[in-house]
Amino acid sequence: MGHKNNKRGRKPKTSDASTTAIPQTLDATATVDPASSNDRQPRGRGIPKNRSELSSDKPEKRPSSPSRCISSAGPALENGRVELCMGSCNGVSLGFSGDGMPGGAVERVVPAMDAVVKVFCTHTEPNFSLPWQRNRQYSSSSSGFVIGGRRVLTNAHSVEHYTQVKLKKRGSDTKYLATVLAIGTECDIAMLTVNDDEFWEGISPVDFGEFPALQDAVTVVGYPIGGDTVSVTSGVVSRIEILSYVHGSTELLGLQIDAAINSGNSGGPAFNHKGKCVGIAFQSLKHEDAENIGYVIPTPVIMHFITDYEKNGAYTGFPILGIKWQKMENPDLRTAMGMKSHQKGVRIRRINPTALESEVLKPSDIILSFDAVDIANDGTVPFRHGERIGFSYLVSQKYTGDNAAIKVLRENETLSFNIKLSSHRKLIPSHNKGRPPSYYIIAGFVFTSVSVPYLRSEYGEEYVYQTPVKLLDKLMHSMPQSPDEQLVVVSQVLVADINIGYEEIVNTQVLAFNGKPVKNLKGLATMVENCDDEFLKFDLDYDQIVVLRTKTAKAATVDILTTHCIPSPMSDDLKP
């Protein structure tokens, strides 16, 4: 990518586009220069940089060549980054020996080898800074594999913002047009199919194996960088825990392996020594002191995605508890909360007002158990012999709409509730689920709703360090007060005579319009369009106000749209 000129005080994006990981309470990362004018609203730097972090690279967008597509951030680790392994996918062709283990001399190829396909995708991403446009298309390549029911699994980030997806079988020179059936953003899995019967000839779907144990042998098959044919790398399972999924900005069960996972391996299967699939390769750790640390989506997560699609005809997501909780490891804290010596659990700090569980749970409740499984003071539950895992694993095993039994301690009394689980939206969502961004324009003021992709577009891949402090605080801590609440901002001001003096307003939250609170972008657009008052008055953050004469503002909007070649004053989803 060429060097870009500075725009509205932002740093130019560099070719080394990498994103630094952030705590799980954040959904990704970002950057902007402080305001240079005293008349401009404060532009906070966000949280200080820290060498103890993971990050992931941004896609290298090349219109005519395969490119790497990397996404948001993961858990903290010094000088490291977690990278989604999609890109130019080539590799050294190896094979399986007769017993299903990789070997230099290939006696025979197990049928599952032919089920591994190469995925070619053309992406066209929305332009969140100029929401009426799209960015230039680019291409990427990754891996996938055939499962039962004439379906193919790959990673969600491999087909994100797809325009066209094609698949190529091993040993074939033909690319077959694929249809995307479902994209699981949180679990980073996508399901495809091909309508051409020729594609399915001679392919046997992979079989899924049991969840592996530590030190079990695994073999990753795919089309990574370094060649054009299928590649095989082998290793062992080195860790099993709740991982931060870089693309999904969520935490789910994952496997850490020491088999090499490189760009292009994304979506490829990981086999055990019996030739059974035990996971999907999806990201790796890049760190100066680490070698061959890769991550695999395990079969419980895969089967949850498949079952969810088969039950509902679409991907509905993984349910979560809409709470923030605190460890209860301190003995004085446990005593003060009325816990007996044999009781263990975690304290509820905050509850999402839009979550169903907010009707029965209260702040300072101690969660003792979930579905009859006792929760320890550090928030873990027994997993397997000698292993413990975060209790969010129990929640993620459920499906949206399922019920769960939860036991809490409240004011020295033990209570039991049966709650209905669901997925919850955040005030600043991590993804737009493939939908184009919304916008509304009046008198040159561009209003939009804030999301993590928007912050990344505005402030770069390291946006968490440069996002204004108030926006960053809402990204990290704020919860929506209603299901349709959005954070609405003035994105920019398209300069015209009518908005003279307001040109420096950038990314400032809109609090109220003509004295009425602004809940979401559609509500703001409706109020402005139906306004019969003499003036349009917008109350902004940092105690700023914008006042425009109503008739003049609406008349000037037409000329401004023509000048900037904007097709409509609002996005399609806001039109009545």
Side-chain angles (χ1 to χ4, degrees), residues 229-277:
T229 55
V230 73
S231 171
V232 176
T233 56
S234 60
V236 298
V237 176
S238 54
R239 181 175 292 163
I240 301 171
E241 63 180 356
I242 299 295
L243 296 177
S244 178
Y245 280 42
V246 175
H247 176 72
S249 298
T250 52
E251 290 188 343
L252 294 170
L253 183 65
L255 302 178
Q256 178 183 312
I257 64 174
D258 63 358
I261 297 180
N262 299 302
S263 293
N265 267 125
S266 276
F271 294 104
N272 61 16
H273 68 284
K274 297 179 180 179
K276 304 289 187 181
C277 178

Side-chain angles (χ1 to χ4, degrees), residues 18 32 43 78 112 126 185 216 248-249 300 336 364 376 397 400 416 430 439 508 563:
S18 66
V32 70
R43 301 289 294 278
E78 184 173 0
T185 304
D216 278 1
S249 298
S364 289
Q397 291 297 100
T400 301
S416 296
S430 302
Y439 71 91
T508 305
T563 301

Side-chain angles (χ1 to χ4, degrees), residues 251-535:
E251 290 188 343
L252 294 170
L253 183 65
L255 302 178
Q256 178 183 312
I257 64 174
D258 63 358
I261 297 180
N262 299 302
S263 293
N265 267 125
S266 276
F271 294 104
N272 61 16
H273 68 284
K274 297 179 180 179
K276 304 289 187 181
C277 178
V278 294
I280 302 175
F282 76 120
Q283 62 190 34
S284 60
L285 175 65
K286 304 302 181 184
H287 184 268
E288 59 184 6
D289 295 327
E291 295 180 0
N292 292 344
I293 295 182
Y295 298 101
V296 170
I297 304 170
T299 46
V301 178
I302 299 172
M303 298 311 298
H304 188 287
F305 170 81
I306 295 174
T307 304
D308 183 17
Y309 175 79
E310 292 175 345
K311 285 174 58 177
N312 302 293
Y315 172 75
T316 63
F318 286 73
I320 60 173
L321 282 178
I323 64 171
K324 300 292 184 182
W325 55 271
Q326 176 185 359
K327 294 180 179 180
M328 296 293 292
E329 295 176 306
N330 185 276
D332 294 336
L333 176 61
R334 291 199 300 273
T335 302
M337 297 300 297
M339 296 178 67
K340 298 179 173 60
S341 58
H342 66 279
Q343 290 179 321
K344 296 181 179 180
V346 294
R347 173 183 172 269
I348 297 177
R349 295 193 292 119
R350 302 172 63 203
I351 304 176
N352 188 332
T354 65
L356 296 177
E357 47 267 33
S358 65
E359 299 176 2
V360 293
L361 300 180
K362 296 182 179 180
S364 289
D365 281 353
I366 308 298
I367 303 179
L368 304 175
S369 68
F370 183 91
D371 268 354
V373 179
D374 292 336
I375 300 174
N377 291 323
D378 62 354
T380 62
V381 294
F383 184 53
R384 294 189 300 194
H385 179 69
E387 300 177 35
R388 297 189 68 84
I389 199 166
F391 82 93
S392 62
Y393 167 72
L394 301 177
V395 185
S396 67
Q397 291 297 100
K398 302 287 229 177
Y399 293 88
T400 301
D402 284 357
N403 292 323
I406 190 167
K407 184 184 294 185
V408 303
L409 178 67
R410 178 185 300 168
E411 297 178 353
N412 298 320
E413 183 181 0
T414 302
L415 305 174
S416 296
F417 300 105
N418 192 36
I419 61 174
K420 187 175 183 179
L421 298 173
S422 62
S423 56
H424 310 297
R425 63 174 298 275
K426 301 175 182 177
L427 180 62
I428 299 182
S430 302
H431 295 272
N432 282 52
K433 306 290 186 180
R435 295 185 297 268
S438 301
Y439 71 91
Y440 175 69
I441 301 175
I442 183 73
F445 287 80
V446 181
F447 298 94
T448 189
S449 59
V450 179
S451 63
V452 169
Y454 173 78
L455 294 177
R456 187 182 297 116
S457 176
E458 285 289 289
Y459 300 109
E461 288 298 326
E462 295 188 351
Y463 61 88
V464 73
Y465 302 122
Q466 299 296 336
T467 297
V469 172
K470 286 196 174 183
L471 290 182
L472 184 64
D473 178 70
K474 290 179 172 63
L475 173 65
M476 296 175 63
H477 304 297
S478 292
M479 293 179 173
Q481 300 301 307
S482 63
D484 60 348
E485 184 181 357
Q486 293 177 318
L487 186 70
V488 180
V489 296
V490 177
S491 171
Q492 60 177 306
V493 179
L494 305 174
V495 177
D497 292 342
I498 190 173
N499 53 48
I500 187 170
Y502 298 134
E503 303 92 337
E504 300 299 321
I505 298 177
V506 179
N507 289 331
T508 305
Q509 184 181 358
V510 184
L511 303 177
F513 170 74
N514 283 1
K516 297 179 181 179
V518 174
K519 289 181 55 179
N520 51 52
L521 187 59
K522 187 174 181 64
L524 174 64
T526 301
M527 287 191 292
V528 175
E529 289 294 304
N530 297 331
C531 180
D532 295 326
D533 296 345
E534 182 180 1
F535 293 103

Side-chain angles (χ1 to χ4, degrees), residues 112-161:
M113 250 330 234
D114 290 334
V116 183
V117 299
K118 192 170 184 178
V119 180
F120 299 88
C121 183
T122 301
H123 311 257
T124 308
E125 294 182 350
N127 187 331
F128 288 88
S129 294
L130 302 173
W132 51 88
Q133 298 180 0
R134 282 186 173 267
N135 292 325
R136 187 174 184 178
Q137 71 179 24
Y138 66 97
S139 300
S140 71
S141 57
S142 53
S143 307
F145 61 97
V146 175
I147 63 172
R150 292 166 65 102
R151 297 171 296 184
V152 174
L153 292 185
T154 187
N155 282 143
H157 72 262
S158 297
V159 295
E160 184 180 32
H161 301 303

